[in-house]
Amino acid sequence: MEPLKLGIAGLGTVGAGLLELLTANGAHFANIVGREIRITGVSARSRSKARDAATAGIPWFDDPVALARDPSNAVFVELIGGEDGIAKAAVEAALNAKKHVVTANKALLAKHGFELARLAEKNGVALNFEAAVAGGIPVIKTLREALGANRVRRVYGILNGTCNYILTQMQTEKRPFEDVLKEAQALGYAEADPTFDIGGFDTAHKLALLTSLAFGTRVAFDQIHVEGIQSITQADIEATDSLGYRIKLLGVATETESGIEARVSPALVYKDSAIAEVSGVTNAVAIDGDFSGNILLVGAGAGAKPTASAIAGDILDIARGLIVPPFVTPTAKLKAHKRAKLDQHYGSYYVRLALYDKPGAMAAIARRMGDRGVSLESIVQHRPQTLHAPGAASHLSKDKAQPVIIITHETTEEAMRKALETIEKDGNVTERPQMIRIEEL
Ligand code: HSE
């Protein structure tokens, strides 16, 4: 059989990982699909940086769009990144030239996934993006193929290794946020702009793709509610720990009667839940299918080798002639994404208040919650040890504020929001209340 010819654009960490895999496992790959994989062109930003043994002798293209159009390859592998610009131009050029496309570009797909899927379908080619969500975890294939016959009720996960690493280190080593972020960057997990990670946007890109795959809707990144982990303090880590929870940055998408609730936010999960055990840079994705039940996939969400594994799996499918609609459902049948109102979210909440130390303040808090029909499961007034430590939440010591931790029974987000607005207006708190959803997983 004819060799499968690849053009690879982008030779950073992931591109280098793919070259390593194709060298190390090339013979195995050829053996299982019955055809050789051959790289017929490469392109990268800096030719001098990319020049090494793995690319020696392979035709070089300064322009990735030219590589995408070049008839020497049948598969265009896009590892450039970025939601627009050259990556988008090259992917479009490849699809229009009837090339199969394999990409790791979550930002591009979160923004233009529907149009690109339509273009791929029109040209009868594959648009595969396993590496775009949760690195080495085969979640796209799982949703597209293995669980394709299920109606998915909910999909959720820890989709950003940097955030999970930061929260884990804050928990286990009681180290400050900034310190741990620097370490994650040095380890190569964080995005070039780390606000993408800690602000929740990287998770939201991935959740936008999972939502479309799970619920048969058009990709709608702008319909996702996004909160990052910047507001999480040691006070939250300690208080939640003593109450039996861990804090995780979760992406959660649920199909409700009023639409799809898709949100990225810090969440409290029970310490003994499977997802609470997922620590460090590890990712996890859970899919709740109506016939399969809940399935949890855990593994490396980033890094050269796991990401290369996902890309090579996509190439393997193409080599075998397996072409499926990019978002499971053919694009003509993908529904518009109808957003559920987050105000109608129903669940329990954790609240941390910094309360002025004066008579009646605590009673006023409980009354304001009661006024909105919010029932309290527990209310604890305490000063965690680390609040005395140097560099710890200084506003608390300076204003003689008393930390108060509340766990509510289930209620609506609207009731919580309104109760906390009134509490702020009453002037009994020294700072904005912290509110985190408790996730029953
Ligand atoms: N910055 C991402 C993470 C890399 O931390 O998980 C993989 O998308």
Side-chain angles (χ1 to χ4, degrees):
M1 214 174 172
E2 268 275 288
L4 185 70
K5 294 173 182 165
L6 309 181
I8 303 176
L11 293 173
T13 311
V14 175
L18 179 62
L19 293 178
E20 188 187 336
L21 185 151
L22 293 175
T23 306
N25 293 352
H28 165 68
F29 198 119
N31 196 29
I32 58 175
V33 293
R35 59 196 295 201
E36 188 198 330
I37 304 295
R38 195 175 294 165
I39 304 169
T40 54
V42 288
S43 174
R45 209 169 18 201
S46 162
R47 187 167 186 173
S48 56
K49 259 202 227 161
R51 192 186 293 138
D52 68 12
T55 55
I58 301 174
W60 177 271
F61 289 74
D62 285 325
D63 177 9
V65 177
L67 175 61
R69 289 199 185 112
D70 191 77
S72 70
N73 59 72
V75 181
F76 180 67
V77 183
E78 186 271 306
L79 306 174
I80 303 167
E83 63 179 26
D84 282 298
I86 197 74
K88 178 168 177 268
V91 166
E92 284 172 346
L95 295 173
N96 280 321
K98 301 199 186 306
K99 309 279 186 76
H100 303 289
V101 169
V102 175
T103 176
N105 192 336
K106 56 221 153 170
L108 172 73
L109 292 165
K111 190 167 176 193
H112 303 290
F114 176 65
E115 292 77 19
L116 293 174
R118 211 160 42 179
L119 197 56
E121 269 181 20
K122 186 179 130 204
N123 287 293
V125 290
L127 173 61
N128 288 349
F129 50 90
E130 186 62 71
V133 180
I137 301 176
V139 61
I140 310 290
K141 273 185 86 68
T142 303
L143 279 164
R144 272 184 181 175
E145 296 161 41
L147 300 183
N150 282 259
R151 301 300 304 266
V152 176
R153 297 177 288 213
R154 177 163 71 166
V155 59
Y156 63 88
I158 295 173
L159 303 171
N160 184 271
T162 302
C163 287
N164 205 43
Y165 182 78
I166 291 174
L167 292 171
T168 305
Q169 292 288 313
M170 283 175 77
Q171 168 83 47
T172 54
E173 301 193 3
K174 311 245 174 295
R175 287 168 56 198
F177 181 90
E178 289 76 18
D179 201 26
V180 187
L181 171 62
K182 276 197 198 112
E183 195 175 279
Q185 285 176 292
L187 289 168
Y189 296 116
E191 296 296 304
D193 175 357
T195 55
F196 257 71
D197 294 299
I198 60 179
F201 302 106
D202 178 72
T203 302
H205 282 150
K206 295 166 184 168
L207 186 66
L209 302 181
L210 292 179
T211 303
S212 177
L213 289 155
F215 303 121
T217 50
R218 294 181 191 178
V219 189
F221 172 70
D222 56 354
Q223 298 302 312
I224 295 180
H225 171 85
V226 188
E227 295 167 38
I229 61 168
Q230 306 93 321
S231 72
I232 305 297
T233 65
Q234 271 298 334
D236 295 315
I237 299 273
E238 267 189 47
T240 52
D241 183 45
S242 67
L243 292 164
Y245 297 99
R246 292 270 178 267
I247 303 179
K248 296 288 181 191
L249 183 77
L250 295 185
V252 184
T254 314
E255 193 156 37
T256 73
E257 278 173 16
S258 62
I260 293 171
E261 185 184 307
R263 61 193 153 81
V264 173
S265 62
L268 264 60
V269 295
Y270 293 117
K271 262 186 211 176
D272 57 7
S273 64
I275 203 128
E277 307 262 312
V278 177
S279 60
V281 292
T282 306
N283 280 200
V285 192
I287 304 156
D288 186 10
D290 57 352
F291 278 71
S292 65
N294 204 38
I295 288 173
L296 182 68
L297 305 168
V298 180
K305 284 188 170 182
T307 311
S309 157
I311 295 165
D314 281 348
I315 297 169
L316 193 75
D317 279 349
I318 294 167
R320 286 176 164 148
L322 178 68
I323 299 170
V324 293
F327 291 97
V328 187
T329 310
T331 50
K333 292 189 176 163
L334 284 171
K335 298 173 285 186
H337 178 115
K338 182 166 177 261
R339 182 182 189 155
K341 283 206 176 88
L342 194 56
D343 263 357
Q344 299 313 309
H345 172 80
Y346 192 74
S348 304
Y349 292 82
Y350 156 94
V351 175
R352 177 174 53 80
L353 300 165
L355 205 61
Y356 279 117
D357 196 4
K358 61 182 185 191
M362 182 83 116
I365 302 296
R367 198 175 58 245
R368 290 305 191 189
M369 292 284 196
D371 287 349
R372 292 287 171 189
V374 179
S375 170
L376 306 185
E377 183 187 290
S378 74
I379 179 160
V380 191
Q381 185 165 14
H382 74 148
R383 183 172 286 274
Q385 285 300 308
T386 50
L387 293 184
H388 296 296
S394 56
H395 49 273
L396 294 178
S397 38
K398 137 173 127 233
D399 294 329
K400 277 184 65 186
Q402 297 295 314
V404 172
I405 307 297
I406 296 171
I407 301 288
T408 75
H409 284 297
E410 289 188 325
T411 182
T412 64
E413 184 130 341
E414 185 177 25
M416 285 303 293
R417 198 173 40 75
K418 290 194 167 154
L420 292 178
E421 269 168 24
T422 322
I423 286 168
E424 257 192 287
K425 276 194 203 131
D426 284 346
N428 287 323
V429 290
T430 66
E431 62 177 32
R432 284 206 76 180
Q434 168 75 294
M435 178 183 97
I436 308 178
R437 295 175 198 90
I438 300 176
E439 215 66 58
E440 301 281 343
L441 301 175

